[in-house]
Amino acid sequence: MTTTRTALVTGGGRGLGAATADRLRADGVAVTTLDLTGADISADVTDDDALRRIAQEIGPVDVLVNAAGVVGPNKPLVETTAEEWRRVLDINVVGTVNTMRAFVPGMRERGWGRVVNFASMAGKDGNPNLSIYSASKAAVIALTKSAGKELATSGVLVNVIAPAVIATPMNDDTAPDVLAHITSLIPMKRIGRPEEVAELVAFLCSDRVSFSTGAVYDISGGRATY
């Protein structure tokens, strides 16, 4: 008898997280979403204690998708504050680490798991006036590479996706000039759709990928060429 796989999707209340949850459910995965609002579980990824309690409550998780994140302020680097840096890094980087520390040990014990982290093309290119966001997503890329190597023989694969701009509620808060600039960098001359990203994530969460870990998967309409 085939056992239904389970997944936790953070940031699952809207945008790319919600699209990913829908796509995984279409594959027969039992998905639990976590977000501040609009999800199966209301929790903050920066709350390490809450995540550990949730891990005990929901039981084994085979797939972890870290889609929770914020863009942060649109302003020149020299105008940013230490408080702004701490907030974005705490959510985008430490939040990702917190969920991995809560759920990866169980995957490793069972000998199978898939972790997909959400970064951004900003983490590779560095978008102007988005220094905090860019730096936070570069950190997510690096921590994924490190974790992928650490877990390479465990049966747990850890990969990261780097989307260009996608049509999500998160980008409603991005300044129009910044949005226009980053869209202009896409050779396909359009922004991506959430379902396009979800399709890539579903692949990375499945048995269809078996010899890739610590890798960065671009989904950028041709923007990324390295």
Side-chain angles (χ1 to χ4, degrees):
M1 186 175 72
T2 302
T3 302
T4 300
R5 287 200 168 127
T6 58
L8 178 71
V9 179
T10 74
R14 64 177 193 164
L16 295 179
T20 294
D22 288 344
R23 180 62 184 81
L24 290 176
R25 289 180 178 127
D27 277 348
V29 179
V31 179
T32 300
T33 55
L34 182 151
D35 210 326
L36 294 176
T37 59
D40 299 318
I41 297 174
S42 177
D44 189 331
V45 293
T46 67
D47 189 338
D48 194 31
D49 291 336
L51 290 175
R52 292 188 180 279
R53 287 196 302 272
I54 289 165
Q56 292 291 325
E57 291 168 4
I58 68 175
V61 167
D62 303 306
V63 171
L64 171 64
V65 179
N66 282 305
V70 293
V71 175
N74 299 294
K75 61 172 67 171
L77 168 66
V78 295
E79 296 178 10
T80 61
T81 67
E83 183 178 351
E84 289 169 338
W85 276 88
R86 292 189 186 99
R87 174 178 176 269
V88 175
L89 291 172
D90 202 26
I91 296 169
N92 291 0
V93 183
V94 181
T96 297
V97 173
N98 285 345
T99 60
M100 291 178 67
R101 289 194 295 121
F103 294 99
V104 166
M107 296 179 186
R108 186 172 52 199
E109 289 170 8
R110 294 186 297 277
W112 194 96
R114 298 291 185 268
V115 180
V116 179
N117 295 326
F118 275 55
S120 168
M121 282 306 303
K124 300 181 77 172
D125 285 359
N127 288 338
N129 297 318
L130 285 173
S131 59
I132 307 178
Y133 180 71
S134 299
S136 73
K137 293 305 187 178
V140 171
I141 289 172
L143 74 86
T144 300
K145 292 179 178 181
S146 180
K149 291 180 173 69
E150 289 180 15
L151 296 165
T153 60
S154 69
V156 181
L157 307 183
V158 187
N159 292 295
V160 60
I161 64 167
V165 62
I166 309 294
T168 67
M170 177 185 282
N171 282 312
D172 292 343
D173 300 326
T174 304
D177 60 327
V178 174
L179 199 59
H181 169 72
I182 55 183
T183 303
S184 74
L185 300 174
I186 300 173
M188 284 189 179
K189 301 302 179 186
R190 68 171 177 88
I191 61 177
R193 299 187 301 272
E195 60 268 25
E196 293 175 309
V197 177
E199 193 67 39
L200 175 59
V201 178
F203 164 70
L204 293 173
C205 292
S206 72
D207 280 316
R208 301 190 299 276
V209 59
S210 58
F211 193 55
S212 181
T213 195
V216 186
Y217 286 80
D218 300 319
I219 182 160
S220 66
R223 175 176 167 182
T225 55
Y226 61 93

